[in-house]
């Protein structure tokens, strides 16, 4: 199945009315999916596991269309956990082959990628994947990186704990290289070292199959997300389940927004206090006049922001270089 179904099914009057009602309220801009239940769907329908995973991909393509229809412009999906490597070799090989086929198909749909202006990002510890899978993924990411209308984040060879550890290693390297100081480290800077640094946090997270766990998925990013656990296997997920989850988000929107605003205010306050304390620790008593302190704190803040900007440029350049090297290698091998 195509990533971008071209024969769009005509919407019924009921669907159009439901969409209009939903759009009268706040629509989540970023929705994350834990697409759980492919294997159970296969058992339930007397098919092999591979067929269950292929049905799951077909449902993803359909769901992306539904999301765009109601104004959801960014989707993040949990496609393959690092924990999945513990499954049988036969199933892991099947999932790797599915990735090869689907990302190769995506590159065959370049015109549709550009037409829909979709940016595809693949997030995870990609070095754990077979080299040819890394290469085709890198080609997709590199080709679509400048598109802005919609974003699809595919979490592949991913767990949240691994992501947080990778971010910590980036920060430690930054301190070791002298790009940043210990005192520069903050929650905000850590967030910008995560794989998801280019995206806002999900407004809504949906998990299918009736399980009520996050399973090591976006643990940092979903601290203030609305959670919707749907008791249906992923290939059976319908547009009505999506509508229900969005309605659930809208009912809880006021309390979620209040919590997010409060957290942001606390972060800003803590950063100001930390900047002040850093300046105080380097001043002697004769330099602590109000005007002098205010000026020093302001300059310290500017210097800290400049250091962090340089550090994040270093981090992002490494990631871009990784993908570019894979793209170049694939081109060289093809020639």
């Amino acid at each position: 199945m195509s990533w971008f179904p071209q024969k769009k099914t005509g919407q019924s009057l009921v669907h159009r009315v439901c969409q209009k009602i939903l759009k009268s309220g706040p629509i989540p801009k970023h929705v994350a999916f834990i697409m759980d239940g492919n294997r159970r769907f296969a058992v339930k329908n007397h098919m092999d596991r591979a067929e269950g995973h292929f049905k799951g991909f077909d449902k993803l393509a359909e769901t992306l269309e539904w999301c765009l229809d109601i104004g959801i412009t960014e989707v993040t999906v949990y496609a393959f956990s690092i924990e999945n490597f513990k499954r049988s070799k036969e199933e892991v090989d099947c999932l790797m082959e599915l990735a090869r086929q689907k990302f190769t198909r995506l590159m065959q749909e370049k015109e549709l990628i550009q037409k829909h202006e979709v940016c595809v990002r693949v997030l995870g510890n990609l070095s754990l994947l077979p080299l040819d899978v890394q290469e085709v993924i890198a080609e997709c990411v590199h080709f679509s990186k400048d598109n802005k209308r919609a974003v699809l984040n595919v979490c592949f060879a991913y767990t949240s704990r691994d992501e947080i550890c990778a971010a910590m290693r980036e920060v430690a390297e930054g301190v070791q290289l002298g790009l940043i100081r210990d005192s520069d480290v903050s929650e905000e800077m850590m967030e910008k070292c995560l794989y998801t640094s280019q995206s806002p946090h999900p407004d809504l997270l949906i998990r299918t199959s009736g399980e009520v766990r996050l399973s090591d998925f976006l643990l940092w990013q979903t601290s203030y997300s609305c959670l919707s656990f749907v008791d249906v296997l992923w290939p059976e997920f319908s547009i009505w389940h999506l509508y229900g989850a969005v309605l659930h988000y809208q009912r809880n929107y006021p309390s979620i927004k209040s919590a997010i605003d409060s957290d942001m205010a606390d972060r800003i306050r803590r950063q100001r206090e930390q900047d002040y304390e850093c300046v105080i620790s380097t001043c002697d008593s004769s330099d602590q006049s109000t005007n002098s302190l205010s000026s020093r704190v302001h300059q310290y803040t500017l210097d800290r922001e400049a250091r962090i900007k340089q550090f994040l440029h270093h981090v992002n350049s490494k990631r871009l270089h990784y993908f570019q090297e894979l793209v170049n290698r694939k081109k060289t091998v093809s020639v």
Side-chain angles (χ1 to χ4, degrees), residues 37-53 55 233 235-236:
N38 291 335
R39 294 193 296 172
R40 276 172 278 176
F41 177 82
V43 172
K44 177 181 175 182
N45 291 276
H46 311 290
M47 56 180 66
D48 60 34
R49 288 179 177 179
E51 184 65 18
H53 290 301
K55 291 291 185 183
L233 303 177
E236 298 170 334

Side-chain angles (χ1 to χ4, degrees), residues 289-312:
S289 65
T290 302
N291 289 338
S292 176
L293 272 178
S294 177
S295 175
R296 286 176 178 240
V297 170
H298 177 68
Q299 187 58 52
Y300 179 85
T301 299
L302 293 177
D303 293 343
R304 173 180 55 77
E305 290 174 348
R307 287 193 299 272
I308 291 174
K309 183 178 180 180
Q310 180 186 11
F311 164 65
L312 294 175

Side-chain angles (χ1 to χ4, degrees), residues 6-239:
Q6 297 187 59
K7 290 185 178 180
K8 191 169 181 177
T9 305
Q11 293 181 336
S12 68
L13 176 61
V14 174
H15 282 99
R16 293 197 298 271
V17 170
C18 287
Q19 285 186 11
K20 189 170 183 180
I21 292 171
L22 286 175
K23 288 180 179 180
S24 66
I27 295 292
K29 296 302 179 185
H30 183 185
V31 176
F33 290 92
I34 300 178
M35 306 180 294
D36 194 20
N38 291 335
R39 294 193 296 172
R40 276 172 278 176
F41 177 82
V43 172
K44 177 181 175 182
N45 291 276
H46 311 290
M47 56 180 66
D48 60 34
R49 288 179 177 179
E51 184 65 18
H53 290 301
F54 275 89
K55 291 291 185 183
F57 173 81
D58 292 347
K59 181 56 62 177
L60 169 60
E62 195 175 15
T63 302
L64 294 176
E65 185 179 7
W66 298 336
C67 287
L68 283 174
D69 284 344
I70 61 174
I72 297 168
T73 55
E74 183 158 4
V75 170
T76 299
V77 296
Y78 203 4
F80 187 84
S81 167
I82 291 175
E83 295 296 314
N84 291 156
F85 283 113
K86 297 177 182 177
R87 294 181 179 179
S88 69
K89 183 179 184 303
E90 179 184 6
E91 186 172 359
V92 172
D93 288 346
C94 167
L95 290 167
M96 292 301 109
E97 181 58 28
L98 176 61
R100 285 187 190 93
Q101 291 185 24
K102 296 310 178 182
F103 282 108
T104 299
R105 178 60 184 267
L106 186 59
M107 287 310 297
Q108 294 169 353
E109 299 181 324
K110 289 182 178 181
E111 295 80 7
L112 291 174
I113 293 176
Q114 297 306 90
K115 176 183 175 181
H116 295 283
E117 298 181 58
V118 177
C119 173
V120 179
R121 299 174 186 149
V122 183
L123 315 176
N125 189 348
L126 303 185
S127 64
L128 299 176
L129 302 173
L131 184 56
D132 64 320
V133 176
Q134 293 182 50
E135 288 174 350
V136 70
I137 284 174
E139 192 176 15
C140 294
V141 171
H142 181 74
F143 177 77
S144 66
K145 63 184 175 65
D146 296 323
N147 291 336
K148 304 293 184 184
R149 177 172 174 256
V151 176
L152 172 61
N153 301 307
V154 182
C155 292
F156 208 89
Y158 172 94
T159 63
S160 189
R161 286 176 292 182
D162 179 75
E163 176 185 32
I164 292 169
C165 287
M168 291 174 64
R169 286 192 291 270
E170 294 286 9
V171 171
E173 181 185 67
V175 173
Q176 186 178 25
L177 294 175
L179 296 174
I180 51 174
R181 302 175 183 175
D182 292 345
S183 58
D184 295 335
V185 179
S186 65
E187 288 181 37
E188 184 178 5
M189 191 178 72
M190 276 286 292
E191 281 182 359
K192 291 178 180 177
C193 292
L194 297 173
Y195 298 140
T196 56
S197 60
Q198 299 181 70
S199 300
H201 291 178
D203 302 298
L204 170 65
L205 182 145
I206 300 171
R207 177 169 187 160
T208 56
S209 84
E211 297 289 346
V212 290
R213 298 174 287 112
L214 294 183
S215 296
D216 214 348
F217 180 56
L218 302 180
L219 300 180
W220 183 299
Q221 298 88 337
T222 55
S223 297
Y224 294 97
S225 300
C226 181
L227 307 181
S228 177
F229 298 104
V230 184
D231 193 10
V232 62
L233 303 177
W234 172 247
E236 298 170 334
F237 186 75
S238 74
I239 194 170

